[in-house]
Amino acid sequence: MTENTQQQNPAPTTELPTQYAPAEVEGTLYERWVERGYFSADAASEKPPYTVVIPPPNVTGSLHLGHAFEHTLIDALTRRKRMQGFETLWQPGMDHAGIATQNVVERELAKEGKSRHDLGREEFIERVWKWKGESGGQISGQMRRLGDGVDWDRERFTMDEGLSQSVQTIFKRLYDDELIYRAERIINWCPRCLTAISDIEVEYQDDDGELVSLKYGDGDETVVVATTRAETMLGDTAIAVHPDDERYKHLVGKLIKLPLTDRSIPVVADEHVDPEFGTGCVKVTPAHDPNDFEIGQRHDLPNIAVMDEHAVITVPGPFQGLDRLEARSAIVGALRAEGRIVAEKRPYTHSVGHCSRCKTTIEPRLSMQWWVKVAPLAKAAGDAVRDGKVAIHPQEMEKRYFDWVDNLHDWCISRQLWWGHRIPVWYGPNGEVVCVGPDDEAPTGEGWTQDSDVLDTWFSSGLWPFSTLGWPEETESLAKFYPNSVLVTGYDILFFWVARMMMFGLYAMDGTPPFHTIVLHGMVRDQFGKKMSKSFGNAVNPLDWMDKYGSDAVRFTLARGANPGVDVPIGEDWVQGSRNFANKIWNATRFALMNGATIEGELPPVEQQSATDRWILSRLNATVAEVDALYDDYQFAKLSDALFHFAWDEVFDWYVELSKTTFMAGGDAAKVSGRVLGEVLDVTLRLLHPIVPFVTETLWTTLTGRESLVIAEWPSDSGFRDAAAEQEIETLQQVITEVRRFRADQGLQPGQKVPARLSLDGTTLARHEGAIRQLLRLQPEGEGFAATATLPVSGATVALDLSGTIDVAAERKRLAKDLAAAEKEKAQATAKLGNEAFLAKAPDNVVDKIRGRLTKADADISRLQAQLDGLPQA
């Protein structure tokens, strides 16, 4: 529905409450939008499609400031495209978040004194679904608070029946194409969650540990190795040195006694070893270190696992049954007793991986898992960007993308959990392995069992752009809305989610990438640039700010900080400023409606418009063009700033103020300006709507009497420009600004009236005398007028009678002091810029800063001298 086919509300009213109260309008407005189907996408529509998927939040989650930031940007894009006439789909949904959700429900069970094993797999999964229905997904309600224009009828969940079918289908296809396989390799293992976890679920932090140097062998066959995990030495199967290291060439191929064991291990030569690091010797524990595993594969070394899934030592002997940390201390003590400790460093700070869910230290562990062979998939994902099928914005992020996809290792996709998509593979009594697709019958009979693992959450979320549209079925929605137009997401998941969507989309959809453009944004931080965290005490619940200042204020603050690919600092005082902006829009529109602003009828001909009218219309069209260009370049911060300054500075502070004398005078000129002001407000509210939808909707429907801004037409640049009018009003602004500054410098109150003589003849300012006098509180000169201060400004002269209002002598003294300071500043800056030695060494930013100081000093000198000249002699 376009603007022209909108229903008319009852006749527009010029009455608005004196103050804007967000809480009284936001909820009601949003439900009205949803009930009227404004956000519903029609796959049968002939309009061009515009599709964006929501990065699916975890079902366990709630709306944090990062969500609010990302959703604001997506909502702004989709609202604008809807207004531009696109069939717009913002696809909502949530991720089942396997490990996070299972942990939540297990904690609930623990309160009852139970574990999942007490319930069994089927009953536990029923319990998770029950929890999901009762407690999960609170973020949906919070999205409504923010104003997200998603198609709620299409809301999906990664464990829905349809999406589960998609998962099973692509697993089967990848398996049949030999791109999924099962193998024993090193994975990230959480001894608390008892599952493999993905790289993104590992958080690295600097921990205080110990670095212990150990002596292996005796006599001429002695080597020294260093380790932070002494307990793993029980699983060493080799010592590795660099092939060109002359110190150890005589040992390569020989066996060296492994302390505390009855085993001897070989010395192998491997180019992975850095001869310059430490002693140039490294212990090789293939079952407990990914690099060691690769060395072991190259040299056909045995893999000896020394810990079980709980990270408890399993090697028979005195350390069996000890936790890994207990064993570490005991083993170091035993080695010390044998004289095998060469050096110890405590504390030794180093980076250690932790489970992002439970904070347990990760244990690299050799394990039988399912893997995706990523090489051909990753190549296609890289080529799609290189060939221009997919654009990454900002472009400098392409390098990070290529660094990742060009060096991807095979992806471990199995998780030792119960909640998630169970791997569709059955094992037979005689070693049979059968992968079952959604249309296949699972094997039955004695001895057949399904694999107990589930798939990594990222496996199903990697299908999100097409599984949500009904794939593998050839649905109308899939044909209409795939590929997505744009993906908006954080740079932090470029590797983990974006790359996987690219791989799966290209594979499943016959080489068609899942989206045309990837827009990467930064992280929200506090006003000091620090990461927001509950532990830091600086985390913010955006709902608190919405309650206090309104959703529009939060949205505008977030959008105004959204420079491409960089982090976004935000503080409460900035949200207060955005609330003030919403209030400014409200108050200015209220004033305009009370003074005849209207959209009825055509715009008056240009010849009937005043210079002020032509100026604001010219600036309006230039702003439309600027905002369009910035939207197309995803420059949210710049377009928000452009809208802020146009609305606040040019429309409300200048045009409305300059038009007051016209409105007070009435007549035809007032009617013309009322229609122009109505036009300007109409377009300005449309431009602002995608970012601040609630206040603009309320004001626009009141102004126009039409149904909704959500389905109004997006403004277009008519091409009208009036350079002469822009120059004329710029000159007028200079006069008013300069006289206001002079008044403030003299200590005059803003409302204090001063007699003045205006000499405007021969300038374009003559027709603006009424506005100048009103805005500057200048009275007619009257009888006995004495010009005590004269200001030449932009070809005009403003003579003021300040007798009885200021102490001229004191004012001369103050201005002379300020003038001397400005001249000193100019001299210092000039001297530095004239020093060739300084210019040769100083950084560019330092030189630019000094040039700025010189420019400011020149301006201050001119201003202060003019003020002195305008004062009478004491």
Side-chain angles (χ1 to χ4, degrees):
M1 184 183 295
T2 68
E3 171 208 2
N4 296 325
T5 58
Q6 287 195 37
Q7 299 174 7
Q8 293 289 316
N9 287 333
T13 175
T14 58
E15 295 183 3
L16 283 169
T18 55
Q19 291 184 326
Y20 176 50
E24 296 178 10
V25 301
E26 290 179 351
T28 303
L29 274 184
Y30 188 84
E31 291 309 315
R32 183 188 305 161
W33 292 336
V34 173
E35 289 168 5
R36 293 182 177 179
Y38 295 157
F39 304 140
S40 299
D42 182 4
S45 168
E46 294 184 0
K47 296 179 183 178
Y50 187 82
T51 316
V52 184
V53 294
I54 193 172
N58 289 351
V59 68
T60 58
S62 61
L63 189 74
H64 57 65
L65 209 53
H67 285 127
F69 172 55
E70 186 168 78
H71 291 198
T72 294
L73 304 187
I74 300 173
D75 198 41
L77 291 175
T78 52
R79 284 179 182 270
R80 172 176 176 254
K81 285 296 181 179
R82 190 178 292 111
M83 294 172 75
Q84 287 182 318
F86 286 78
E87 192 61 38
T88 303
L89 169 60
W90 183 8
Q91 172 68 53
M94 288 179 290
D95 194 294
H96 66 279
I99 191 169
T101 304
Q102 180 159 318
N103 279 348
V104 168
V105 178
E106 286 195 88
R107 283 196 295 270
E108 294 295 314
L109 284 175
K111 295 176 183 176
E112 304 171 15
K114 297 179 181 179
S115 73
R116 60 183 163 120
H117 300 286
D118 294 324
L119 272 64
R121 186 167 191 145
E122 288 188 10
E123 188 177 343
F124 176 76
I125 291 174
E126 288 179 8
R127 182 71 174 258
V128 179
W129 276 109
K130 182 181 178 183
W131 174 88
K132 190 261 181 185
E134 294 174 352
S135 307
Q138 60 176 308
I139 200 168
S140 297
Q142 295 164 340
M143 288 167 59
R144 293 172 182 264
R145 282 289 312 277
L146 188 64
D148 288 0
V150 300
D151 187 344
W152 289 110
D153 293 335
R154 293 174 176 267
E155 186 176 12
R156 305 305 300 269
F157 180 53
T158 50
M159 289 286 286
D160 284 349
E161 181 179 351
L163 271 67
S164 295
Q165 182 183 22
S166 300
V167 169
Q168 195 172 353
T169 298
I170 201 161
F171 187 99
K172 171 70 170 172
R173 293 188 185 180
L174 289 165
Y175 180 87
D176 290 345
D177 287 344
E178 298 183 348
L179 293 174
I180 281 183
Y181 64 95
R182 193 169 185 242
E184 192 175 43
R185 292 195 177 175
I186 295 285
I187 46 88
N188 300 310
W189 181 264
C190 177
R192 155 60 182 79
C193 299
L194 299 180
T195 181
I197 64 175
S198 66
D199 290 338
I200 196 173
E201 293 164 322
V202 179
E203 293 180 349
Y204 287 91
Q205 65 184 49
D206 287 341
D207 287 356
D208 285 341
E210 60 180 358
L211 181 67
V212 183
S213 296
L214 313 176
K215 181 172 67 173
Y216 288 9
D218 296 292
D220 292 339
E221 297 181 354
T222 298
V223 296
V224 175
V225 298
T227 182
T228 58
R229 301 163 67 218
E231 69 279 8
T232 63
M233 60 87 60
L234 299 175
D236 288 357
T237 56
I239 297 294
V241 299
H242 193 275
D244 299 330
D245 195 330
E246 295 293 336
R247 293 172 294 176
Y248 304 113
K249 277 195 172 182
H250 68 288
L251 294 179
V252 174
K254 293 187 177 181
L255 295 176
I256 288 181
K257 180 72 169 60
L258 180 65
L260 306 182
T261 72
D262 59 359
R263 294 188 292 115
S264 293
I265 57 177
V267 177
V268 299
D270 195 280
E271 292 189 351
H272 170 76
V273 180
D274 180 0
E276 302 299 324
F277 184 77
T279 64
C281 300
V282 296
K283 59 191 286 297
V284 182
T285 320
H288 292 280
D289 184 275
N291 293 322
D292 292 3
F293 178 78
E294 297 297 331
I295 294 174
Q297 293 290 294
R298 289 193 288 272
H299 298 279
D300 198 24
L301 299 175
N303 302 315
I304 300 177
V306 300
M307 292 177 234
D308 65 12
E309 65 271 23
H310 298 280
V312 171
I313 301 299
T314 56
V315 177
F319 312 111
Q320 187 173 12
L322 295 180
D323 171 82
R324 56 183 167 169
L325 299 181
E326 297 171 331
R328 182 176 302 169
S329 178
I331 288 172
V332 169
L335 289 167
R336 188 183 297 113
E338 289 192 4
R340 294 284 177 179
I341 302 296
V342 175
E344 296 178 73
K345 184 176 181 181
R346 295 190 186 90
Y348 177 72
T349 303
H350 61 132
S351 182
V352 178
H354 296 259
C355 175
S356 63
R357 304 299 176 187
C358 68
K359 311 309 176 186
T360 302
T361 300
I362 290 302
E363 187 64 41
R365 183 169 187 253
L366 187 64
S367 179
M368 182 67 75
Q369 302 285 346
W370 285 95
W371 304 81
V372 172
K373 186 184 296 182
V374 300
L377 303 175
K379 182 181 184 303
D383 289 346
V385 175
R386 288 189 173 94
D387 296 345
K389 292 181 181 177
V390 178
I392 294 179
H393 185 88
Q395 192 173 4
E396 53 265 28
M397 287 286 183
E398 283 187 1
K399 182 180 184 302
R400 297 179 66 178
Y401 177 79
F402 292 136
D403 287 346
W404 179 257
V405 297
D406 293 347
N407 297 284
L408 267 179
H409 298 294
D410 284 0
W411 170 20
C412 176
I413 56 172
S414 46
R415 299 290 180 267
Q416 290 64 57
L417 304 170
W418 286 356
W419 173 245
H421 297 100
R422 195 166 176 180
I423 289 177
V425 172
W426 272 254
Y427 305 107
N430 299 311
E432 302 96 333
V433 179
V434 175
C435 181
V436 176
D439 299 325
D440 301 331
E441 290 289 334
T444 57
E446 186 176 350
W448 282 94
T449 59
Q450 185 177 359
D451 195 300
S452 61
D453 289 350
V454 300
L455 287 163
D456 178 12
T457 294
W458 296 99
F459 190 94
S460 52
S461 60
L463 313 179
W464 192 246
F466 51 93
S467 64
T468 51
L469 298 173
W471 186 90
E473 301 299 322
E474 294 181 2
T475 65
E476 191 176 28
S477 290
L478 186 66
K480 177 73 173 180
F481 295 114
Y482 187 92
N484 291 186
S485 306
V486 64
L487 173 74
V488 180
T489 191
Y491 64 68
D492 57 323
I493 54 174
L494 171 63
F495 314 133
F496 308 110
W497 186 45
V498 179
R500 287 165 184 174
M501 284 190 290
M502 286 284 284
M503 290 191 295
F504 280 167
L506 290 159
Y507 173 79
M509 300 301 293
D510 300 321
T512 301
F515 18 73
H516 297 301
T517 304
I518 302 167
V519 175
L520 298 171
H521 60 72
M523 305 295 102
V524 177
R525 297 182 178 272
D526 70 14
Q527 65 266 43
F528 306 108
K530 190 175 183 180
K531 179 182 178 181
M532 284 192 174
S533 166
K534 290 181 181 178
S535 61
F536 294 155
N538 63 350
V540 174
N541 182 347
L543 295 178
D544 293 340
W545 281 354
M546 290 183 212
D547 290 340
K548 197 170 182 180
Y549 304 111
S551 297
D552 284 331
V554 175
R555 290 171 60 115
F556 192 73
T557 304
L558 291 166
R560 205 172 177 192
N563 289 297
V566 298
D567 291 344
V568 183
I570 184 172
E572 186 169 0
D573 56 336
W574 303 343
V575 186
Q576 292 175 357
S578 295
R579 186 268 315 272
N580 295 342
F581 179 50
N583 288 341
K584 183 77 170 182
I585 301 170
W586 182 272
N587 292 333
T589 305
R590 185 171 177 271
F591 168 84
L593 288 169
M594 293 170 62
N595 284 275
T598 180
I599 65 163
E600 298 302 318
E602 297 294 325
L603 271 175
V606 172
E607 56 270 17
Q608 294 180 17
Q609 297 171 18
S610 69
T612 310
D613 295 332
R614 298 195 304 277
W615 162 72
I616 197 62
L617 291 173
S618 181
R619 291 295 307 128
L620 178 69
N621 279 285
T623 301
V624 170
E626 180 183 10
V627 168
D628 271 332
L630 291 170
Y631 258 118
D632 291 341
D633 198 33
Y634 306 101
Q635 298 279 358
F636 297 99
K638 290 182 178 179
L639 72 89
S640 300
D641 212 45
L643 285 170
F644 174 86
H645 287 294
F646 174 71
W648 190 307
D649 299 345
E650 298 187 272
V651 179
F652 304 144
D653 276 359
W654 282 109
Y655 182 72
V656 168
E657 291 299 317
L658 290 171
S659 300
K660 282 183 177 178
T661 52
T662 304
F663 289 135
M664 286 189 294
D668 291 341
K671 291 179 180 179
V672 170
S673 290
R675 178 64 186 88
V676 170
L677 181 53
E679 181 78 10
V680 172
L681 285 174
D682 175 18
V683 174
T684 301
L685 292 170
R686 294 181 200 224
L687 291 174
L688 284 164
H689 176 73
I691 299 174
V692 285
F694 295 108
V695 66
T696 53
E697 173 83 340
T698 305
L699 296 174
W700 188 83
T701 53
T702 302
L703 171 70
T704 66
R706 295 195 173 120
E707 182 180 346
S708 176
L709 248 182
V710 180
I711 52 172
E713 290 180 354
W714 181 254
S716 59
D717 176 11
S718 71
F720 174 75
R721 300 289 191 278
D722 192 325
E726 290 198 35
Q727 181 60 54
E728 180 173 333
I729 302 305
E730 183 179 336
T731 302
L732 175 61
Q733 291 170 330
Q734 290 170 357
V735 171
I736 293 172
T737 300
E738 192 62 34
V739 176
R740 278 176 172 168
R741 182 185 292 121
F742 179 80
R743 286 178 56 111
D745 288 343
Q746 311 309 313
L748 298 177
Q749 295 301 314
Q752 186 173 352
K753 294 182 178 180
V754 177
R757 176 186 299 141
L758 304 184
S759 299
L760 307 175
D761 294 343
T763 73
T764 57
L765 300 174
R767 53 183 165 226
H768 299 287
E769 180 170 352
I772 293 172
R773 286 191 177 276
Q774 179 180 328
L775 293 178
L776 293 173
R777 303 295 189 270
L778 303 180
Q779 294 178 318
E781 52 191 277
E783 186 176 345
F785 175 83
T788 59
T790 304
L791 301 177
V793 186
S794 301
T797 302
V798 179
L800 304 173
D801 184 352
L802 302 177
S803 56
T805 62
I806 63 170
D807 183 335
V808 175
E811 186 60 22
R812 275 192 167 278
K813 185 175 181 181
R814 184 185 71 81
L815 289 173
K817 181 179 178 181
D818 290 347
L819 181 60
E823 288 172 339
K824 181 179 179 182
E825 173 74 1
K826 177 179 180 179
Q828 291 175 341
T830 302
K832 283 191 175 182
L833 293 174
N835 186 334
E836 294 297 334
F838 169 79
L839 293 176
K841 295 179 181 178
D844 290 344
N845 64 317
V846 172
V847 175
D848 289 342
K849 187 175 181 180
I850 293 172
R851 288 194 178 115
R853 284 168 50 193
L854 178 60
T855 300
K856 182 178 183 302
D858 279 331
D860 288 344
I861 290 169
S862 297
R863 175 175 58 82
L864 293 165
Q865 189 62 60
Q867 290 175 16
L868 271 171
D869 293 342
L871 287 174
Q873 295 299 317

